Amino acid sequence: MVIRTANDIESFRNVSSDVVKEALYGNKTQEKDEENIFSTFLDAAVHNINDTNIALSNQENEILKWAMGISENTHDLTIAAGKADAALNYTVALRDKLLEAYKEIMQMQI
C-alpha cells in the first residue's frame, strides 16, 4: 500500500465532475430547502464510502487471487489497486474538507 502525502491529495480539491454534481443535486435544477440538501449530501457521502469499501475489497480479492496462484493476470491486480488508491485518496480528501468545515463552523461567534 502506498502512503500519500498532503501534496498528492491536492489534486482532489477542485473536483468538478457532472457525476459529483448529479450525486449532490440530482437531476433537478430547482432550489431545495436546507434539510433536503443536507440529506442529499449525506447520502452521497455514504455512497462514496460504500464505493471506497467495495474498491478496497476488490483490491484485496485480487491480491489474494494472485498470491494463491489462482490468477496470473497482474493487469487486473494493477487496475484494482489503482481504483482502490484513487477511491481512498478521494474519501480522505473529502473527510479532511468536512472536518475543516466543521472546525470553522465551531469557531464562529454567535
Side-chain angles (χ1 to χ4, degrees):
M1 183 169 189
V2 178
I3 297 176
R4 300 287 183 188
T5 62
N7 293 336
D8 295 330
I9 297 174
E10 287 292 325
S11 62
F12 288 101
R13 291 195 186 264
N14 295 323
V15 173
S16 62
S17 74
D18 292 334
V19 174
V20 173
K21 289 178 185 175
E22 185 176 328
L24 182 57
Y25 300 114
N27 292 330
K28 300 177 184 175
T29 57
Q30 56 184 296
E31 283 189 18
K32 297 180 179 182
D33 61 339
E34 292 177 12
E35 182 178 321
N36 196 11
I37 290 174
F38 180 75
S39 173
T40 304
F41 182 74
L42 186 61
D43 290 342
V46 169
H47 183 70
N48 180 37
I49 291 171
N50 289 336
D51 287 347
T52 302
N53 286 336
I54 290 169
L56 290 171
S57 177
N58 289 343
Q59 176 191 16
E60 187 175 322
N61 289 340
E62 289 297 327
I63 290 172
L64 289 174
K65 285 180 190 176
W66 186 77
M68 293 179 2
I70 295 171
S71 172
E72 294 181 10
N73 189 354
T74 58
H75 181 71
D76 290 340
L77 175 61
T78 305
I79 289 174
K83 285 182 180 180
D85 188 44
L88 187 59
N89 284 337
Y90 184 75
T91 303
V92 168
L94 183 63
R95 180 208 59 191
D96 290 345
K97 282 304 232 181
L98 287 173
L99 285 175
E100 211 175 282
Y102 174 77
K103 287 177 185 177
E104 189 173 322
I105 289 170
M106 293 307 292
Q107 290 177 357
M108 286 183 181
Q109 297 290 327
I110 297 178

